[in-house]
Amino acid sequence: MLSTALQGFLVSIGLIIAIGAQNAFVLKQGLKQEHIFWICLICAMSDAILIFSGVFGFGQVVQSHTGWVDIAKYAGAIFLFLYGLQHFYQAFVKKHSLEAGGKDESSLLRVLLICLAFTWLNPHVYLDTVILIGVISTQIDGDKTHFAVGASLASFIFFFSLGYGAKFLQPLFKDYRAWKILDVCIGFLMWGIAYSLIS
C-alpha cells in the first residue's frame, strides 16, 4: 500500500513542481498573504478531482473528445494573455509593496474565480493530471486508489507549502521594485504559456 502511494506521490510531485501559471499565482498570493488557505485548498482539491478522474478512466473520455481540450486551450490562452497584461500594467503603472498590498485586497470570490480558471482552463492540467497520471496508474501492480491518494497528497503538500512558505520571501518584497520584477516575470510567463497553448 505504502509503496503504491509513494509511486503516485513521486509521479504527481514531478509534474506539479514545474514553474507554471498556477504556481506563480499561488506564490504571489502567498507573498501578499491574501486568502492563502482557500487558494491552496482549491488548487489541491481540483488536482485531486482530476487525478482520481484520470486514474479511474476519465482520461479515455478526454482523449476521445478532444474538442473539450481545444475549448480549454483557446479559452485558457485568452485568459492567460489578459492576466499577463494585468501584471505588466501593475509593473509599469501601479506602485506596489507589501505595505500597500493590504489596502486594496482582492475579494475572496474574485481570487477564487481566478484560481479556478488557472486550473480548469489549462489543457496541460488535463494532459498531465488526467491522461498521463491515468496512463501511469494502469502500469502499477498495487491498488489504484492508493496510487491516486498518494498523487493527491503530493498536490496538497506542494500547494500549501508554496502558499504559506512564500512568507519567507516577504522581507525582499518590502521594496516595490521587487514587485515590479515579479510582475514582469509573471507577465512574460503568462504570455509564454498562452503562446505555447495556441502554437
Side-chain angles (χ1 to χ4, degrees), residues 107-119:
S107 70
L108 176 60
L109 178 60
R110 177 179 179 274
V111 168
L112 292 186
L113 287 175
I114 292 173
C115 186
L116 287 169
F118 272 122
T119 301

Side-chain angles (χ1 to χ4, degrees), residues 37-52:
F37 173 80
W38 294 109
I39 291 168
C40 295
L41 183 63
I42 288 291
C43 290
M45 286 296 295
S46 296
D47 267 13
I49 291 170
L50 291 166
I51 287 168
F52 271 87

Side-chain angles (χ1 to χ4, degrees), residues 136-194:
I136 292 173
S137 71
T138 64
Q139 310 300 317
I140 64 169
D141 297 325
D143 191 326
K144 284 187 176 184
T145 302
H146 298 151
F147 181 87
V149 168
S152 299
L153 181 62
S155 288
F156 276 89
I157 291 174
F158 175 79
F159 284 117
F160 277 93
S161 298
L162 180 62
Y164 284 99
K167 67 181 180 181
F168 294 108
L169 295 174
Q170 281 188 325
L172 176 64
F173 285 87
K174 296 289 184 182
D175 187 341
Y176 76 93
R177 288 170 294 189
W179 281 103
K180 287 183 176 291
I181 294 172
L182 179 64
D183 280 324
V184 168
C185 290
I186 291 177
F188 277 119
L189 175 65
M190 300 300 165
W191 282 8
I193 297 173

Side-chain angles (χ1 to χ4, degrees), residues 41-74:
L41 183 63
I42 288 291
C43 290
M45 286 296 295
S46 296
D47 267 13
I49 291 170
L50 291 166
I51 287 168
F52 271 87
S53 298
V55 169
F56 291 101
F58 187 66
Q60 296 174 351
V61 177
V62 173
Q63 285 179 307
S64 61
H65 294 81
T66 56
W68 289 106
V69 178
D70 289 335
I71 291 171
K73 177 174 69 175
Y74 290 107

